[in-house]
Amino acid sequence: MDIVSERQSVQVDIACVGFGPAMGGFLTTLTRHLLNEDGTPKWESRVMPGMPPQILCYERADDLGFGVSGVVTRARAIRETFPDLNLDEIPLATPVTKEELVYLLDPIGASRRPWYLRLADTTIRMLRFALPYSDEALRLPIIPPFLSKHDGVLLSLGQFNQWVGNIVASSGLAQIWPGTPVAEPLFDNDRVAGIRLVDQGVAKDGTPGPSYMPGMDVLADLTIVADGPVGPVGRAIEEHLNKTTPAHPDEWAVGMKMVVDLPATCKLSPGTVIHTFGYPEPEIFGFLYVYRDGVASL
């Protein structure tokens, strides 16, 4: 689309789309290197001479702490980025204290299991008194290296994202605007020249309503896109550059994630990590992470 329009526009040095873990890491590192020790900018803004580069980040969600996804990580990059990391500052952050790998049998016969897994399930049930087996689950004695997180950290991705966002915003070197979705990229030939924000006050059929306001054009020397694998900006750039197949195609699966309050009688201690496989389908991995204060993610 043509970047010339009657819409309001603003010129910045760096425009960012989406604020997830990737963008949080990028902006954390970037803002730490914009000033000299005496507080003067290492690089001057082209749009505001004498000032550090002007950086704006737009996030579609209403809050940076969106989502309920739990995650376990070795946290090597996090610890490198935050050498003085204090988990008490991050809501729900819990060090891993116990880790198990559990093979789940099919208790109701609904899983698409091949014959050799059905045979394995039958054999496990026959030998259940000699195995670490209970409640249709077999606890395995080893954890493969790709699953092992024995010295890691349990995080709520939403809470961690919000914590990182607060650090970036408090630096004063980048502005983060939640609740501000981006509609599309702006092009100057094959160069991404910025982004256009979503129009406000549009009716369900797409026509302008009484409070209609065209989305602003944010023109930038550099545009950083992190709106996810199916984000409208990333997809529009791929289409514009005639990339019929993404350079790094993703594979997708449908799943469920939940956050639950464990009953007071639950004996699972904070920091417990349980990896599962075998059910509901053989190729699907599952998890249960126990945080502080009786909260679990599964």
Side-chain angles (χ1 to χ4, degrees):
M1 66 176 300
D2 189 351
I3 66 172
V4 180
S5 70
E6 297 179 357
R7 297 168 182 263
Q8 291 185 353
S9 64
V10 62
Q11 182 80 43
V12 301
D13 295 291
I14 302 177
C16 303
V17 184
F19 191 87
M23 185 64 75
F26 166 73
L27 289 178
T28 297
T29 302
L30 176 65
T31 53
R32 287 180 178 175
H33 293 83
L34 294 180
L35 299 179
N36 296 308
E37 292 185 2
D38 60 0
T40 58
K42 289 184 178 180
W43 300 276
E44 286 193 10
S45 167
R46 190 176 69 82
V47 299
M48 296 185 66
M51 300 292 291
Q54 301 301 293
I55 306 167
L56 272 64
C57 179
Y58 298 96
E59 166 55 46
R60 176 178 297 271
D62 292 334
D63 189 89
L64 299 184
F66 65 92
V68 298
S69 182
V71 62
V72 62
T73 171
R74 295 288 294 276
R76 289 168 292 187
I78 294 173
R79 290 188 173 107
E80 184 175 340
T81 304
F82 303 100
D84 301 323
L85 181 68
N86 181 2
L87 295 183
D88 292 335
E89 297 177 356
I90 309 173
L92 291 180
T94 308
V96 174
T97 58
K98 181 182 179 181
E99 197 172 10
E100 292 184 351
L101 175 60
V102 178
Y103 170 70
L104 301 178
L105 286 70
D106 182 359
I108 57 176
S111 177
R112 298 173 299 173
R113 303 171 100 73
W115 67 267
Y116 51 86
L117 279 186
R118 293 197 300 270
L119 178 61
D121 289 1
T122 301
T123 303
I124 290 170
R125 290 187 179 100
M126 291 175 58
L127 301 174
R128 62 185 180 276
F129 297 111
L131 297 173
Y133 167 91
S134 63
D135 300 318
E136 294 292 305
L138 177 68
R139 285 169 173 78
L140 302 182
I142 60 172
I143 299 176
F146 78 93
L147 279 178
S148 178
K149 304 293 189 298
H150 65 276
D151 59 349
V153 178
L154 292 174
L155 295 170
S156 160
L157 204 54
Q159 296 292 336
F160 177 72
N161 205 47
Q162 191 169 56
W163 179 76
V164 173
N166 290 337
I167 292 176
V168 171
S170 65
S171 73
L173 296 170
Q175 297 182 42
I176 304 174
W177 292 83
T180 312
V182 176
E184 56 189 330
L186 302 173
F187 293 101
D188 180 5
N189 295 319
D190 281 344
R191 182 180 73 88
V192 178
I195 54 177
R196 172 167 291 174
L197 304 184
V198 167
D199 295 343
Q200 303 296 318
V202 178
K204 289 184 177 180
D205 61 0
T207 58
S211 59
Y212 173 74
M213 180 180 297
M216 184 169 59
D217 287 348
V218 183
L219 307 178
D221 293 329
L222 176 64
T223 303
I224 307 296
V225 180
D227 62 345
V230 293
V233 179
R235 284 187 295 173
I237 292 174
E238 289 180 351
E239 292 173 2
H240 182 85
L241 298 178
N242 296 318
K243 283 186 173 292
T244 55
T245 302
H248 303 282
D250 294 276
E251 294 184 1
W252 292 87
V254 177
M256 295 192 302
K257 296 178 181 178
M258 292 165 277
V259 176
V260 299
D261 292 320
L262 297 173
T265 56
C266 181
K267 296 181 180 180
L268 295 175
S269 59
T272 296
V273 173
I274 300 177
H275 310 283
T276 72
F277 72 102
Y279 184 81
E281 298 296 345
E283 69 276 13
I284 296 176
F285 282 85
F287 65 86
L288 189 147
Y289 307 146
V290 182
Y291 298 88
R292 296 176 289 188
D293 303 321
V295 175
S297 167
L298 59 96

